[in-house]
Each structure stands twice: as C-alpha cells, then as structure tokens.
Amino acid sequence: MRTKSDFINIDKSKLFRKLLRVRMVEEELVRRHSEQEMRCPIHFCIGREAIAVALCESLKISDYTVSTHRAHAHYLTKGGSLYAMISEFYGKSTGCAAGRGGSMHLIDRNVGFVGCVPIVGSTIPIGVGLAFGSMLQKNDKVTVIFFGDGSTEEGAFYESLNFALMNNLRVIFMCENDFYAVSTHITKRRRNDEAIIRIVEGFGIGAYRFDGQDCNSLAKKLASIVDDVRSNGKPVFVQCDTYRYTGNCGPESDSRPDDEVSRWKERDPVKLMQEKLLNAKVLSTDQIEQFKAEIAAEIQEAFDKAQAAPFPLRPDLNKFVFKDASNSL
C-alpha cells in the first residue's frame, strides 16, 4: 500500500500523459461528432480534465467513483476501457453498457466506476449509499462523487452531506465548479460564487477550495485528502474551480463572453502543465510528441474496433432493463 509520501511524489510525466490522453480523446470525439454515427447526446469536458486526472491518480481500483452526464474524464482516469466507451457511443453490443446507455450511462465495475446518471444531482445519494455499504462491510474503500456546481442546488445534495457526516462515511464530494448550470452563470443563481463552500461549511464538514487547472499541484493536495479520508473515515467536500470550452451538450460553444473564454484558455490545464514540465526539463518536446503518437494510435484503434463491432441483436434489446444476474454488465 502506498503511503502519503508516495502520493506526494507523484510521477509528473505519467500524470501529464493521462491528462493529454483525456484531452486527445475528447478532441477526436469532437471531430467525429458531425459524422452523425454516434447517436447519443455527448457532454464534453474539454478544459476540465485536470480534476479527474489529479484525483483518480490517488485512488485504488477498488475505490468507488460515480459521476454525472459529463463523465468521460472520470471514467477514463478511473481505468475504464476506451474501446468500451467508444463502442457505447456507437450503440454497439461491445459498449460498456452493452450499447444501451450512450455517453451519459458509462459504467465499468471492474475498475470501481459504478456508473453515471444524467439527472442532475441524482448520483450524489447513490455514491453515499455505496459509502454506507462500505461502512457496513467494514472496508476502507473511498467513494468519490463527481458533480457540477448546478447539483449543489438540489436538495439531495444537502441530505447526502448530512447523512455522510452523521455516519462518518468515507466520501469525497468533488464539486467541479465551472460556473455554469447549462448556460446560466453562477452569479445569476447565487448572490456570489463563494456561497457553495460557505454553505457546506455550515454542516461542519471539512471543506476545501482549489484551482482546478493546475493538475500537478492539485494532485498533491487531493492525494493528501484521499489519504486522510481513508484513515479518518470522515467525508469531505472539495470545490475545484474550472471551465469547459464547449456548450452544455455537443461540441458547439454557447453565448458566453469571449473575454471570459479567452481568460480561462490562458490557464488551459494541458498547456499549463506542459509548459511547466518543459521549463523544468522533466519532459522534452520529443517525449511529448511520442506521447501524442502513442495516444493517437490507441484512439484510432479504439474507433476502428468500435465502428466494426456489431449492434445488439433485436431479440436481446430488453436485456439489462431489469435486474437479471445472468445478464448483468
């Protein structure tokens, strides 16, 4: 088992490669989206990748994560199969949800990614339920619940906070605050953007607010938090401020102010980490190009295999609708 000092000495090259991989997968999805062969709504996370990469670096495979409709980075960084994810987008039987769910219903229980649900805030109590089960089973699994700032405006969020706190559950409530709920800025929904963490602190739960763009710095901070939650058996809330470059659904941008988008792109997480690693001579330009070539080849193979895979058979279409142990995913 790794110790806290091991977590702090995170391999920066490995971390950057994971960050780059998520970005390149997303960019390829954007390029292929117009082909109209992926017939499911897709919510991109371009600009927000660093949080998932940084947090999942410190988790064990056996730890649980749940997510929302914007789940690609969470699924991939927890260890979910890229081929199974792309197959799912194409509706193929080889998809991680057997082609039934699409982008908003990713799942890979083999790596502890228990699922994602598109209804805003609905995975928060599901994650707390997983953590409650871990407590009853007396194991030290940490459960991470990813959600956006809009989810904190659902009542289920506050009920879940209270239940996790009262039962000392090992939960990390990870709020990816990109300041928008669909297309409404947080300042139009709350008196000020500090309100989320201030309200949460009122519950008496440990609460933190970090820059969600600096992947390496974030990884160190979150490693310490994961270690503390596992050791102390208490929930925490973490707010990471970030930004998505696309609109709510699909690759198109929406009507956000140009200067706001430009300001956030100046602190793009991939660009930020790449510059730091080059300046510190941790990585060379040739090594980064090698990463890109390797990842591009992996992505191409995943798309080729997914497009060639079969669709579900018509007689099997009702499978997985109800609980059936013989047909479980």
Side-chain angles (χ1 to χ4, degrees):
M1 179 184 298
R2 294 192 298 179
T3 64
K4 180 177 288 191
S5 60
D6 293 326
F7 285 139
I8 299 302
N9 294 319
I10 287 169
D11 185 330
K12 299 181 181 66
S13 297
K14 179 181 164 191
L15 197 68
F16 175 73
R17 193 185 188 286
K18 290 182 177 179
L19 182 66
L20 185 63
R21 179 175 182 257
V22 177
R23 172 63 60 87
M24 289 178 66
V25 169
E26 289 284 273
E27 290 178 339
E28 185 64 15
L29 285 168
V30 166
R31 276 192 286 273
R32 301 210 183 211
H33 190 268
S34 62
E35 296 171 355
Q36 295 292 308
E37 293 185 15
M38 294 177 280
R39 305 306 294 266
C40 64
I42 295 182
H43 299 74
F44 295 96
C45 64
I46 299 176
R48 306 178 9 157
E49 306 95 331
I51 301 166
V53 173
L55 180 49
C56 288
E57 183 66 13
S58 300
L59 298 178
K60 301 176 183 177
I61 289 292
S62 56
D63 289 330
Y64 293 133
T65 53
V66 292
S67 179
T68 69
H69 53 281
R70 202 177 306 281
H72 305 170
H74 310 142
Y75 168 92
L76 289 172
T77 54
K78 190 62 172 65
S81 161
L82 174 61
Y83 164 56
M85 184 180 92
I86 301 300
S87 294
E88 188 59 36
F89 296 169
Y90 281 101
K92 300 299 181 70
S93 59
T94 51
C96 60
R100 271 65 164 186
S103 169
M104 296 189 288
H105 294 90
L106 303 179
I107 182 170
D108 192 340
R109 292 193 296 188
N110 291 326
V111 296
F113 189 83
V114 184
C116 53
V117 181
I119 305 302
V120 173
S122 62
T123 19
I124 298 174
I126 293 173
V128 169
L130 288 167
F132 188 58
S134 295
M135 186 200 73
L136 295 176
Q137 293 167 1
K138 302 185 187 308
N139 64 51
D140 69 348
K141 291 182 181 179
V142 172
T143 296
V144 173
I145 306 170
F146 289 102
F147 54 91
D149 47 293
S151 293
T152 66
E153 291 151 25
E154 296 285 344
F157 170 61
Y158 299 102
E159 294 178 35
S160 298
L161 275 181
N162 188 58
F163 187 87
L165 188 63
M166 295 302 294
N167 289 281
N168 293 323
L169 303 183
R170 291 185 173 87
V171 180
I172 297 175
F173 293 91
M174 172 53 75
C175 176
E176 297 178 323
N177 174 35
D178 67 10
F179 300 90
Y180 282 87
V182 186
S183 59
T184 306
H185 195 269
I186 197 167
T187 54
K188 301 285 180 62
R189 302 168 1 234
R190 296 177 179 271
R191 285 185 299 173
N192 62 68
D193 71 328
E194 292 287 344
I196 299 174
I197 192 167
R198 184 156 50 81
I199 292 173
V200 169
E201 285 172 338
F203 280 73
I205 193 171
Y208 305 87
R209 184 175 187 179
F210 299 135
D211 171 10
Q213 305 303 89
D214 187 340
C215 190
N216 185 53
S217 173
L218 189 59
K220 293 178 181 177
K221 293 170 182 171
L222 295 177
S224 179
I225 287 174
V226 170
D227 202 40
D228 286 342
V229 169
R230 198 184 307 281
S231 302
N232 300 327
K234 292 184 179 179
V236 299
F237 170 87
V238 182
Q239 174 182 333
C240 290
D241 296 333
T242 185
Y243 201 76
R244 58 177 156 84
Y245 301 157
T246 62
N248 177 57
C249 184
E252 296 80 15
S253 59
D254 51 25
S255 57
R256 286 173 288 171
D258 291 341
D259 61 335
E260 178 183 285
V261 177
S262 299
R263 190 168 63 250
W264 277 96
K265 285 188 175 179
E266 283 298 310
R267 300 200 71 254
D268 176 84
V270 176
K271 173 185 170 185
L272 200 63
M273 191 168 189
Q274 178 171 304
E275 288 177 352
K276 286 188 176 182
L277 295 185
L278 286 173
N279 291 336
K281 300 188 185 308
V282 174
L283 280 175
S284 67
T285 304
D286 287 345
Q287 286 172 305
I288 293 174
E289 291 304 315
Q290 182 180 344
F291 285 168
K292 290 181 179 178
E294 292 169 353
I295 296 167
E298 180 197 5
I299 293 172
Q300 183 66 49
E301 182 181 5
F303 271 94
D304 289 347
K305 287 176 62 180
Q307 288 179 304
F311 286 104
L313 298 174
R314 184 175 291 276
D316 295 337
L317 289 181
N318 288 331
K319 283 186 177 178
F320 314 121
V321 175
F322 299 103
K323 171 66 178 177
D324 181 348
S326 64
N327 293 319
S328 59
L329 290 170

